[in-house]
Amino acid sequence: MKQPILYLILLVFILHSCKDVENKTTPVAEDQTGYAPIEVNYARGFQIKTTATGYQVTIKNPWPDSAVNYPFTLVKHQGRESVSKANLPVRIPIPIEKIVVTSTTHITPLVLLGEEKSLIGFPATDYISAPKVRSLIDAGNIKELGTNQLMNVEAAIILEPDLVMGFSIDDSNPTYQKIEEAGIPVLYNGDWVEEHPLGKAEWIKLFGVLYGKEKEADSIFKTIEKEYQNTLKLAAHLERPKVLSGATYKDQWYLPYGNSWQGKILKDAGADYLYAATKGTGSLAYNIEKVLIDGREATYWIAPAQYTSYSKMLADNKSYALFDSFKNRQVYTHALTIGAKGGVLYYEEASMRPDLVLKDLVKILHPDLALDHELYFFRALKE
């Protein structure tokens, strides 16, 4: 997701709704080719089935209220073919060697799989924080392609990637349509609308089949899953401190729903989130008076929009000083952890590393637990 988008939009995209895991994908039996079945237990935005020549991938509902599925046939060891929507599913030869991605959330799986050198183009490269990828950008190996909304189509086509991994908020995508017309497959990544923290991380399995690194991707995910579950167990029976989140924007206070991605992680971290019982998509929007009544006595304030200091918060809205968490200096932000060009690390890595987000929150909310973990994304707000 592109980081300059206003906080309201970030809440809608990054902290999207989350439900309990259901409708798990049933593993496909291994066929005569010996290709391993891909188990998908949390993610609901894609399915992978083995075939005689590779995999059948279906991208499901890659943006809110989408009812369209996008099928792809991944064929091993075949030459590149032209894309034709009249002949679905689109065929993609694998393993791929060159890729263009369009969201910072796509960067982390490339790095984890050791495939960052396959990245040849990205819109708005300043928002990439990963040191290995920044080195490639500085060396001129990754082409600057503008912004996501105004991506330079001609420049992307000239690069001749094997695949463009797209990100979109709806089905109006003339940029991607032009790329497809040039014979380059576009695969929408819907990690940002996943309903479970581990569902977001499980998208690394799709990257695994694209690069022929199925076993590596599965191993990485299992490690993340294990760390998340172990931390969850630590916090399961602890006293739950009251937690506030969000901040005001144009006279409205935007907060995550209780069933959102952030609401789920707060619950798993042992928080008594103010609006844990709420359900919906996007963000809650209340006036400050209601939030003050409900949250004045909250012990902690997690993720106060893009704020990095108490002084800036107070300058924008003096009512913030009425909250106990503000008075007691118990406000924590992810906006202080940035990359070399100012990109917020949380927006790049958090979706793929929910285990680190959870550990951060447990460390903050339960200081007496003495968890052996150094804060990774979150920091105490500056004065």
Side-chain angles (χ1 to χ4, degrees), residues 62 103 105-106 167 189-194 199-200 203 351-352:
S103 169
T105 64
H106 308 162
F167 159 82
N189 186 315
D191 59 359
W192 63 281
V193 295
E194 284 294 345
K200 292 177 181 288
W203 278 77
S351 63
M352 191 56 57

Side-chain angles (χ1 to χ4, degrees), residues 80-100:
R80 180 173 169 178
E81 301 176 2
S82 294
V83 175
S84 174
K85 283 207 166 184
N87 185 26
L88 293 175
V90 172
R91 293 166 65 88
I92 301 174
I94 56 173
I96 62 172
E97 296 177 353
K98 299 187 297 181
I99 192 171
V100 167

Side-chain angles (χ1 to χ4, degrees), residues 8-299:
L8 168 59
I9 305 300
L10 286 168
L11 275 174
V12 176
F13 292 171
I14 294 292
L15 307 175
H16 203 67
S17 61
C18 157
K19 298 178 182 177
D20 290 334
V21 179
E22 54 187 47
N23 297 332
K24 293 184 178 181
T25 301
T26 302
V28 179
E30 188 169 349
D31 59 31
Q32 70 275 14
T33 64
Y35 299 150
I38 308 297
E39 240 183 281
V40 182
N41 293 322
Y42 300 91
R44 301 181 66 187
F46 70 93
Q47 291 180 332
I48 303 174
K49 296 182 179 180
T50 55
T51 68
T53 56
Y55 297 99
Q56 181 71 37
V57 170
T58 302
I59 303 299
K60 304 169 63 180
N61 309 325
W63 48 78
D65 302 319
S66 170
V68 181
N69 294 336
Y70 296 88
F72 296 86
T73 298
L74 276 52
V75 184
K76 294 195 175 187
H77 311 302
Q78 283 198 5
R80 180 173 169 178
E81 301 176 2
S82 294
V83 175
S84 174
K85 283 207 166 184
N87 185 26
L88 293 175
V90 172
R91 293 166 65 88
I92 301 174
I94 56 173
I96 62 172
E97 296 177 353
K98 299 187 297 181
I99 192 171
V100 167
V101 302
T102 56
S103 169
T104 53
T105 64
H106 308 162
I107 299 296
T108 303
L110 294 180
V111 174
L112 290 174
L113 289 171
E115 293 292 344
E116 62 274 359
K117 290 183 179 179
S118 70
L119 180 62
I120 57 174
F122 186 86
T125 56
D126 280 355
Y127 293 114
I128 296 177
S129 300
K132 289 183 179 180
V133 183
R134 287 241 53 90
S135 295
L136 293 169
I137 294 169
D138 294 341
N141 295 330
I142 298 174
K143 179 75 173 179
E144 172 62 69
L145 297 178
T147 64
N148 192 41
Q149 294 84 356
L150 299 172
M151 186 166 71
N152 188 323
V153 177
E154 290 74 17
I157 292 172
I158 289 172
L159 291 175
E160 295 186 328
D162 299 322
L163 174 71
V164 171
M165 184 162 284
F167 159 82
S168 184
I169 62 173
D170 55 38
D171 60 359
S172 177
N173 299 297
T175 295
Y176 296 143
Q177 290 169 7
K178 291 177 182 177
I179 291 173
E180 288 174 324
E181 289 169 1
I184 299 170
V186 175
L187 190 155
Y188 290 108
N189 186 315
D191 59 359
W192 63 281
V193 295
E194 284 294 345
E195 301 171 333
H196 192 283
L198 289 171
K200 292 177 181 288
E202 203 164 23
W203 278 77
I204 196 171
K205 294 181 179 180
L206 178 59
F207 285 83
V209 299
L210 289 173
Y211 284 99
K213 291 188 171 181
E214 299 91 334
K215 291 181 179 179
E216 293 92 330
D218 185 65
S219 177
I220 290 167
F221 176 75
K222 283 181 177 176
T223 298
I224 292 170
E225 179 187 32
K226 182 179 179 180
E227 290 297 312
Y228 191 96
Q229 298 291 2
N230 287 344
T231 306
L232 174 64
K233 292 175 184 177
L234 287 176
H237 304 294
L238 299 176
E239 184 177 349
R240 293 179 173 268
K242 185 173 288 187
V243 172
L244 169 68
S245 188
T248 57
Y249 174 72
K250 291 187 176 179
D251 299 324
Q252 288 288 299
W253 193 305
Y254 293 97
L255 312 94
Y257 278 98
N259 68 327
S260 72
W261 184 78
Q262 188 181 31
K264 169 68 174 173
I265 291 188
L266 284 171
K267 177 183 177 182
D268 287 352
D272 178 14
Y273 174 49
L274 291 180
Y275 302 110
T278 60
K279 295 182 179 180
T281 60
S283 304
L284 286 166
Y286 292 139
N287 59 47
I288 193 169
E289 289 79 13
K290 173 174 175 53
V291 179
L292 184 59
I293 292 171
D294 295 339
R296 180 195 291 267
E297 297 179 352
T299 305

